[in-house]
Amino acid sequence: MSTSNYITQNKDRFIQELFDLLRLPSISADKAYMKDVLKTADLVAEFLRKAGADKVEICSTPGLPIVYGEKLIDPNLPTVLVYGHYDVQPPDPIDLWTTPPFEPEIRTTAIHPEGAIFARGACDDKGQFFMHLKAFETMMNTNTLPCNVKFMIEGEEEVGSVNLDQFLKDNKEKLAADVVLVSDTGIINNETPSITVGLRGLSYCEVEVVGPNRDLHSGLYGGGVPNPINILCEMIASLKDEDQHITVKGFYDKVVELSKEERTGMAEAPFNQEEFKKSIDISGVEGETGYNVPERMSIRPTLDVNGIWGGYTGEGAKTVIPSVANAKISMRLVPDQSPEEITKLFQEHFESIAPKSVKVKVRALHGGQPAVTPIKHPAYQAASAAMEETFGKKPVPFRGGGSIPIVASFEQILGLKTVLMGFGLDSDAIHSPNEHYGIFNYMKGIETIPLFYKHYTELMSK
Ligand code: BES
Ligand code: MN
Ligand code: MN
């Protein structure tokens, strides 16, 4: 049977099996879901085994386990290491979901007339890594697997992959490969295939500003003592100037400016600012002077408050000057910024701008290096040829704004480049309520992946 016949005949089962995976709330951030996370690892292992992988195992780490499996057909052929993550983000705010996050359902939308699967993790990343298992099953059952393949599906991506570097260091031989293949990013839209060639890095800090040693009556003390929330807000406001440049000293020192040519190339990717604004209901955009919106969201670093709290936030009014204020601040980084350096610069800067009346603490939560894949790499060329076949259009290379910290580790620890052949859409609402993944995208991925293997093996044997 041809691969395309196999895929068509098994389409419904491919969707039902993904549903089984989506029903498990594998939330890595919340210890209460530990059992479900472990169950998910078991189910992934079972699917890998059924698809035809050998040496399937659940590798324990000090945190959540990594599922491994392989099919080695010939040591002289290239080896592709497939990476994905079976953990998901918490579903909150749960009230905003139209249907429950762990009860997958297919509904049509304007962007997905063929239907989309609604569930937490549908796109990020269960639906996307599962395409690789189904593509592998297809190749096994149609005798078309052209090279060696290894799978490494982890359970801690959404909490920073904190144990993965050590796993890579301890298992260099087991993970030896020629390239890493990942579907955990997106395409520009279903008519405009694209391949992500850059990811931003990340430095994530939590800050605390402490004023008086207890909450105070805001009438008795107000006006004469430091209010940590007021002060925190002033400090945060000062982190950007009128051009929305980040004021942290040294922040831009290592930023690589793109050439005019590269920026012109980027501008060829379609972007409609009015539609963009409408899609998220904003009446204006914001950002750094001198750069357009797609540039601000991909090739420029950022600083954003992700959460801020302190004082009284319950119902009604409580007249109080809080003792403590906190905020979570993330900085997205671009080549050649290093998360360690930026975290240190931020820490020094933030402490230096604090008034003497308060105590300030900065705690680093996690970080990740930015990464880029050269389009000359044979695996990029193979991904491009594969997508051109299935979409009927050559994909455009583009830089994404998100982060997958482990991609830099693949290069540093295993010496491997990564190809980011993802099929999601920005509108798929990853990390948001009503996350979904198009049936079109899911099936397109399953069709494209075997072609990647074919082209990559051909290119490598030349
Ligand atoms: N799959 C995403 C990253 C992504 C999505 C990159 C779309 C490009 C396009 C990944 O699961 C993710 O959410 N990463 C986190 C970083 C992590 C350290 C929590 C992120 O980017 O915030
Ligand atoms: Mn992801
Ligand atoms: Mn994610």
Side-chain angles (χ1 to χ4, degrees):
M1 201 193 292
S2 72
T3 58
S4 56
N5 278 349
Y6 186 90
I7 292 168
T8 314
Q9 284 183 18
N10 290 283
K11 178 179 176 186
D12 292 341
R13 180 174 53 84
F14 287 177
I15 293 170
Q16 285 313 312
E17 288 176 349
L18 174 57
F19 272 33
D20 292 341
L21 204 57
L22 291 170
R23 283 192 192 98
L24 292 168
S26 49
I27 306 165
S28 50
D30 189 341
K31 282 194 182 65
Y33 291 89
M34 176 90 110
K35 269 208 178 115
D36 296 292
V37 177
L38 301 178
K39 260 197 223 162
T40 310
D42 285 338
L43 187 60
V44 173
E46 196 186 312
F47 276 128
L48 262 177
R49 235 176 258 123
K50 276 197 201 147
D54 299 326
K55 294 196 184 158
V56 174
E57 56 177 313
I58 293 174
C59 311
S60 51
T61 72
L64 300 165
I66 294 160
V67 184
Y68 178 83
E70 63 181 36
K71 187 75 199 177
L72 307 181
I73 57 171
D74 182 345
N76 295 313
L77 287 168
T79 302
V80 174
L81 174 61
V82 173
Y83 163 82
H85 62 94
Y86 65 82
D87 65 321
V88 301
Q89 286 277 328
D92 316 61
I94 206 130
D95 297 348
L96 297 182
W97 285 77
T98 307
T99 49
F102 299 105
E103 294 174 27
E105 187 184 276
I106 296 176
R107 294 198 292 276
T108 56
T109 71
I111 289 171
H112 295 292
E114 293 179 50
I117 301 167
F118 282 77
R120 169 58 83 232
C123 174
D124 184 13
D125 178 41
K126 286 174 173 170
Q128 294 221 59
F129 88 71
F130 205 58
M131 301 182 309
H132 288 270
L133 269 61
K134 295 298 105 182
F136 171 64
E137 177 201 309
T138 301
M139 292 185 281
M140 289 300 287
N141 290 343
T142 54
N143 268 314
T144 53
L145 181 70
C147 64
N148 306 305
V149 54
K150 296 177 174 179
F151 294 92
M152 183 179 97
I153 314 296
E154 72 148 321
E156 295 186 301
E157 198 277 343
E158 298 294 6
V159 287
S161 302
V162 279
N163 296 295
L164 202 54
D165 275 17
Q166 195 55 48
F167 184 78
L168 298 188
K169 285 177 192 154
D170 294 343
N171 293 280
K172 281 189 188 166
E173 209 153 304
K174 183 197 198 105
L175 301 172
D178 294 285
V179 74
V180 184
L181 178 62
V182 179
S183 295
D184 193 23
T185 53
I187 50 177
I188 293 173
N189 58 51
N190 283 350
E191 289 75 52
T192 318
S194 56
I195 299 174
T196 304
V197 291
L199 290 165
R200 288 196 280 195
L202 185 65
S203 160
Y204 201 119
C205 297
E206 188 169 313
V207 300
E208 183 179 74
V209 176
V210 182
N213 63 4
R214 59 185 166 87
D215 286 5
L216 303 171
H217 189 290
S218 66
L220 291 180
Y221 290 87
V225 297
N227 178 325
I229 299 184
N230 290 14
I231 289 170
L232 175 59
C233 290
E234 285 163 23
M235 289 170 73
I236 288 170
S238 80
L239 294 175
K240 287 189 190 175
D241 67 17
E242 64 275 18
D243 286 318
Q244 301 220 24
H245 282 118
I246 294 152
T247 56
V248 173
K249 269 189 206 74
F251 188 83
Y252 292 97
D253 286 0
K254 300 259 168 91
V255 171
V256 178
E257 289 283 344
L258 261 65
S259 68
K260 234 195 175 143
E261 266 177 322
E262 285 173 295
R263 288 176 70 181
T264 315
M266 269 190 79
E268 277 163 29
F271 178 78
N272 181 320
Q273 193 148 315
E274 286 314 305
E275 268 172 33
F276 172 76
K277 279 164 37 185
K278 239 168 87 189
S279 74
I280 49 171
D281 228 339
I282 54 170
S283 42
V285 296
E286 284 273 341
E288 192 181 356
T289 306
Y291 297 91
N292 62 34
V293 176
E295 287 172 342
R296 289 170 184 166
M297 297 192 297
S298 63
I299 60 165
R300 298 299 295 167
T302 66
L303 185 152
D304 277 294
V305 180
N306 293 242
I308 184 162
W309 68 100
Y312 182 69
T313 55
E315 215 179 292
K318 181 187 180 199
T319 48
V320 67
I321 289 176
S323 163
V324 189
N326 294 83
K328 291 188 190 278
I329 296 175
S330 71
M331 289 159 277
R332 295 281 168 172
L333 313 179
V334 300
D336 287 329
Q337 289 178 300
S338 107
E340 292 79 26
E341 259 173 51
I342 292 295
T343 299
K344 197 166 163 269
L345 290 175
F346 175 79
Q347 192 156 7
E348 284 165 8
H349 179 85
F350 205 72
E351 281 164 5
S352 79
I353 59 173
K356 283 203 176 65
S357 56
V358 294
K359 294 180 206 77
V360 167
K361 259 188 245 155
V362 179
R363 194 158 64 94
L365 292 187
H366 60 69
Q369 308 264 356
V372 279
T373 305
I375 60 172
K376 287 201 186 81
H377 195 281
Y380 178 90
Q381 294 297 327
S384 176
M387 286 181 109
E388 187 171 355
E389 258 183 88
T390 52
F391 282 88
K393 247 188 225 171
K394 202 180 165 122
V396 287
F398 87 116
R399 290 231 217 155
S403 308
I404 308 177
I406 197 61
V407 170
S409 306
F410 286 138
E411 180 152 15
Q412 279 153 19
I413 300 168
L414 301 179
L416 299 179
K417 279 288 181 192
T418 297
V419 172
L420 298 156
M421 192 172 73
F423 294 85
L425 300 180
D426 285 356
S427 56
D428 286 345
I430 65 170
H431 294 206
S432 298
N434 302 313
E435 174 177 354
H436 54 278
Y437 190 40
I439 302 280
F440 169 90
N441 304 71
Y442 182 54
M443 298 312 295
K444 198 58 104 185
I446 298 173
E447 286 159 28
T448 308
I449 292 162
L451 295 170
F452 168 84
Y453 284 86
K454 184 182 137 234
H455 287 293
Y456 184 61
T457 308
E458 281 170 13
L459 280 171
M460 292 294 280
S461 58
K462 267 185 193 156

